[in-house]
Amino acid sequence: VPMIVVMVLVVTISMWLANQQIKEQIQKSASQRLKSAEAMLKITQQNREKDLLHRYSDAKNEPRFKAATKMFEPGQTELDQEQQNTFMGILDDLIKEDVADVIMFASSQGVPVSVARDPQINLQAFEGSSSTSIKPAFGGESRVDTIENNNRLFDIVAIPISVGDTNAVVGVITFGVENLMAQQFAGLSQDDDLVLLADGHVVASTLRNDDLTRLVPAQFA
């Protein structure tokens, strides 16, 4: 009986050790593949940010904006009704030209003016989500960031608009372009399922089981 007990213990311990070693190898391998996918994701996003900044950096020289900004009085910090109507007309024209998915103009104070090409885009939520990201642009620095809106990712490009010889910033024009990275997400890993979370929401997933996808935010909160 003692010999049988010892043999069972030896086999059990050996199996446990082997299982732990296999588990550690699987986790290490998965971690390395995830780091590789993360690096690819960052490089892709950095290149996209450069392209977007280059595409929209000349917006401040757009003739319609130049004409509209002449309406600003020295020290003015928010739009009056006439200016709101003027900028709304300009943004409507630009959105029809497929310049971006969302376009917003905001002064340092007051309510911003915004338009969207897709009526499902919540403009109020978009304005709130982008407010922190565009704040540096009021200091004269163009800014590129990524925000989440209704479980969709948007890259935003904030360009300061200035007037006068002093180049005083009177507002910021922000272009929002849907980030289609989610559609290309599966290409980041050939063997593993990946899930991308933004603000606690799943914005991209290669999981085919919807119920399983819904469990991910709670599991990794």
mmCIF file of all heavy atoms in Angstrom, residues 104-123:
data_model
loop_
_atom_site.group_PDB
_atom_site.id
_atom_site.type_symbol
_atom_site.label_atom_id
_atom_site.label_comp_id
_atom_site.label_asym_id
_atom_site.label_seq_id
_atom_site.Cartn_x
_atom_site.Cartn_y
_atom_site.Cartn_z
ATOM 1 N N MET A 104 -16.013 69.552 -37.059
ATOM 2 C CA MET A 104 -16.474 70.367 -35.938
ATOM 3 C C MET A 104 -15.615 71.623 -35.831
ATOM 4 O O MET A 104 -14.395 71.570 -36.030
ATOM 5 C CB MET A 104 -16.388 69.562 -34.641
ATOM 6 C CG MET A 104 -16.782 70.315 -33.386
ATOM 7 S SD MET A 104 -16.786 69.247 -31.919
ATOM 8 C CE MET A 104 -15.034 68.893 -31.765
ATOM 9 N N PHE A 105 -16.256 72.746 -35.545
ATOM 10 C CA PHE A 105 -15.516 73.968 -35.250
ATOM 11 C C PHE A 105 -15.897 74.410 -33.843
ATOM 12 O O PHE A 105 -17.079 74.490 -33.499
ATOM 13 C CB PHE A 105 -15.835 75.085 -36.244
ATOM 14 C CG PHE A 105 -15.043 76.338 -35.977
ATOM 15 C CD1 PHE A 105 -13.749 76.471 -36.454
ATOM 16 C CD2 PHE A 105 -15.582 77.373 -35.222
ATOM 17 C CE1 PHE A 105 -13.005 77.610 -36.195
ATOM 18 C CE2 PHE A 105 -14.843 78.521 -34.949
ATOM 19 C CZ PHE A 105 -13.555 78.639 -35.444
ATOM 20 N N ALA A 106 -14.872 74.696 -33.045
ATOM 21 C CA ALA A 106 -15.123 75.095 -31.655
ATOM 22 C C ALA A 106 -14.261 76.292 -31.295
ATOM 23 O O ALA A 106 -13.072 76.342 -31.647
ATOM 24 C CB ALA A 106 -14.822 73.932 -30.709
ATOM 25 N N SER A 107 -14.858 77.273 -30.639
ATOM 26 C CA SER A 107 -14.092 78.357 -30.037
ATOM 27 C C SER A 107 -13.683 77.910 -28.638
ATOM 28 O O SER A 107 -14.083 76.842 -28.173
ATOM 29 C CB SER A 107 -14.930 79.641 -29.992
ATOM 30 O OG SER A 107 -16.172 79.387 -29.371
ATOM 31 N N SER A 108 -12.881 78.732 -27.968
ATOM 32 C CA SER A 108 -12.365 78.304 -26.662
ATOM 33 C C SER A 108 -13.476 78.152 -25.631
ATOM 34 O O SER A 108 -13.338 77.415 -24.659
ATOM 35 C CB SER A 108 -11.318 79.295 -26.157
ATOM 36 O OG SER A 108 -11.878 80.589 -26.045
ATOM 37 N N GLN A 109 -14.595 78.862 -25.834
ATOM 38 C CA GLN A 109 -15.749 78.742 -24.947
ATOM 39 C C GLN A 109 -17.005 78.652 -25.788
ATOM 40 O O GLN A 109 -16.997 78.899 -26.976
ATOM 41 C CB GLN A 109 -15.823 79.949 -23.997
ATOM 42 C CG GLN A 109 -14.638 80.077 -23.055
ATOM 43 C CD GLN A 109 -14.763 81.290 -22.156
ATOM 44 O OE1 GLN A 109 -15.839 81.851 -21.997
ATOM 45 N NE2 GLN A 109 -13.661 81.700 -21.563
ATOM 46 N N GLY A 110 -18.101 78.294 -25.156
ATOM 47 C CA GLY A 110 -19.360 78.230 -25.882
ATOM 48 C C GLY A 110 -19.590 76.881 -26.546
ATOM 49 O O GLY A 110 -18.777 75.962 -26.445
ATOM 50 N N VAL A 111 -20.711 76.784 -27.249
ATOM 51 C CA VAL A 111 -21.126 75.529 -27.880
ATOM 52 C C VAL A 111 -20.457 75.372 -29.245
ATOM 53 O O VAL A 111 -20.500 76.300 -30.063
ATOM 54 C CB VAL A 111 -22.665 75.505 -28.044
ATOM 55 C CG1 VAL A 111 -23.102 74.208 -28.700
ATOM 56 C CG2 VAL A 111 -23.342 75.681 -26.694
ATOM 57 N N PRO A 112 -19.830 74.231 -29.519
ATOM 58 C CA PRO A 112 -19.225 74.026 -30.836
ATOM 59 C C PRO A 112 -20.284 73.783 -31.911
ATOM 60 O O PRO A 112 -21.439 73.468 -31.606
ATOM 61 C CB PRO A 112 -18.352 72.787 -30.625
ATOM 62 C CG PRO A 112 -18.973 72.061 -29.490
ATOM 63 C CD PRO A 112 -19.588 73.112 -28.611
ATOM 64 N N VAL A 113 -19.869 73.921 -33.160
ATOM 65 C CA VAL A 113 -20.720 73.645 -34.312
ATOM 66 C C VAL A 113 -20.160 72.411 -34.999
ATOM 67 O O VAL A 113 -18.965 72.338 -35.277
ATOM 68 C CB VAL A 113 -20.735 74.844 -35.294
ATOM 69 C CG1 VAL A 113 -21.559 74.509 -36.528
ATOM 70 C CG2 VAL A 113 -21.283 76.072 -34.611
ATOM 71 N N SER A 114 -21.026 71.423 -35.274
ATOM 72 C CA SER A 114 -20.520 70.176 -35.854
ATOM 73 C C SER A 114 -21.536 69.558 -36.806
ATOM 74 O O SER A 114 -22.742 69.775 -36.675
ATOM 75 C CB SER A 114 -20.167 69.169 -34.754
ATOM 76 O OG SER A 114 -21.296 68.911 -33.934
ATOM 77 N N VAL A 115 -21.033 68.793 -37.761
ATOM 78 C CA VAL A 115 -21.874 68.068 -38.714
ATOM 79 C C VAL A 115 -21.277 66.676 -38.910
ATOM 80 O O VAL A 115 -20.085 66.458 -38.702
ATOM 81 C CB VAL A 115 -21.958 68.783 -40.085
ATOM 82 C CG1 VAL A 115 -22.684 70.109 -39.964
ATOM 83 C CG2 VAL A 115 -20.572 68.986 -40.676
ATOM 84 N N ALA A 116 -22.126 65.731 -39.303
ATOM 85 C CA ALA A 116 -21.673 64.361 -39.541
ATOM 86 C C ALA A 116 -22.289 63.834 -40.828
ATOM 87 O O ALA A 116 -23.419 64.180 -41.177
ATOM 88 C CB ALA A 116 -22.050 63.451 -38.372
ATOM 89 N N ARG A 117 -21.540 63.003 -41.520
ATOM 90 C CA ARG A 117 -22.052 62.423 -42.758
ATOM 91 C C ARG A 117 -23.024 61.292 -42.463
ATOM 92 O O ARG A 117 -23.972 61.052 -43.199
ATOM 93 C CB ARG A 117 -20.874 61.899 -43.597
ATOM 94 C CG ARG A 117 -21.220 61.561 -45.021
ATOM 95 C CD ARG A 117 -19.986 61.400 -45.860
ATOM 96 N NE ARG A 117 -19.005 60.495 -45.265
ATOM 97 C CZ ARG A 117 -17.874 60.168 -45.854
ATOM 98 N NH1 ARG A 117 -17.559 60.672 -47.017
ATOM 99 N NH2 ARG A 117 -17.031 59.340 -45.267
ATOM 100 N N ASP A 118 -22.809 60.573 -41.354
ATOM 101 C CA ASP A 118 -23.664 59.460 -40.959
ATOM 102 C C ASP A 118 -24.602 59.917 -39.844
ATOM 103 O O ASP A 118 -24.142 60.314 -38.766
ATOM 104 C CB ASP A 118 -22.800 58.285 -40.486
ATOM 105 C CG ASP A 118 -23.612 57.051 -40.130
ATOM 106 O OD1 ASP A 118 -24.858 57.128 -40.142
ATOM 107 O OD2 ASP A 118 -22.998 56.003 -39.838
ATOM 108 N N PRO A 119 -25.926 59.873 -40.054
ATOM 109 C CA PRO A 119 -26.859 60.327 -39.013
ATOM 110 C C PRO A 119 -26.801 59.501 -37.731
ATOM 111 O O PRO A 119 -27.297 59.941 -36.689
ATOM 112 C CB PRO A 119 -28.231 60.198 -39.687
ATOM 113 C CG PRO A 119 -28.030 59.245 -40.823
ATOM 114 C CD PRO A 119 -26.621 59.423 -41.278
ATOM 115 N N GLN A 120 -26.193 58.313 -37.771
ATOM 116 C CA GLN A 120 -26.085 57.483 -36.572
ATOM 117 C C GLN A 120 -24.981 57.960 -35.623
ATOM 118 O O GLN A 120 -24.904 57.512 -34.487
ATOM 119 C CB GLN A 120 -25.842 56.023 -36.958
ATOM 120 C CG GLN A 120 -27.030 55.375 -37.660
ATOM 121 C CD GLN A 120 -26.789 53.901 -37.923
ATOM 122 O OE1 GLN A 120 -25.671 53.402 -37.823
ATOM 123 N NE2 GLN A 120 -27.848 53.182 -38.254
ATOM 124 N N ILE A 121 -24.138 58.848 -36.107
ATOM 125 C CA ILE A 121 -23.080 59.389 -35.257
ATOM 126 C C ILE A 121 -23.694 60.382 -34.272
ATOM 127 O O ILE A 121 -24.375 61.334 -34.674
ATOM 128 C CB ILE A 121 -21.990 60.078 -36.096
ATOM 129 C CG1 ILE A 121 -21.271 59.042 -36.972
ATOM 130 C CG2 ILE A 121 -20.976 60.775 -35.195
ATOM 131 C CD1 ILE A 121 -20.264 59.647 -37.933
ATOM 132 N N ASN A 122 -23.469 60.144 -33.008
ATOM 133 C CA ASN A 122 -23.980 61.031 -31.957
ATOM 134 C C ASN A 122 -23.035 62.229 -31.826
ATOM 135 O O ASN A 122 -21.951 62.130 -31.249
ATOM 136 C CB ASN A 122 -24.057 60.266 -30.638
ATOM 137 C CG ASN A 122 -24.731 61.065 -29.538
ATOM 138 O OD1 ASN A 122 -24.619 62.282 -29.484
ATOM 139 N ND2 ASN A 122 -25.426 60.378 -28.656
ATOM 140 N N LEU A 123 -23.450 63.380 -32.388
ATOM 141 C CA LEU A 123 -22.573 64.547 -32.406
ATOM 142 C C LEU A 123 -22.292 65.090 -31.006
ATOM 143 O O LEU A 123 -21.170 65.518 -30.714
ATOM 144 C CB LEU A 123 -23.192 65.637 -33.275
ATOM 145 C CG LEU A 123 -23.119 65.403 -34.791
ATOM 146 C CD1 LEU A 123 -23.872 66.490 -35.537
ATOM 147 C CD2 LEU A 123 -21.672 65.352 -35.252
#
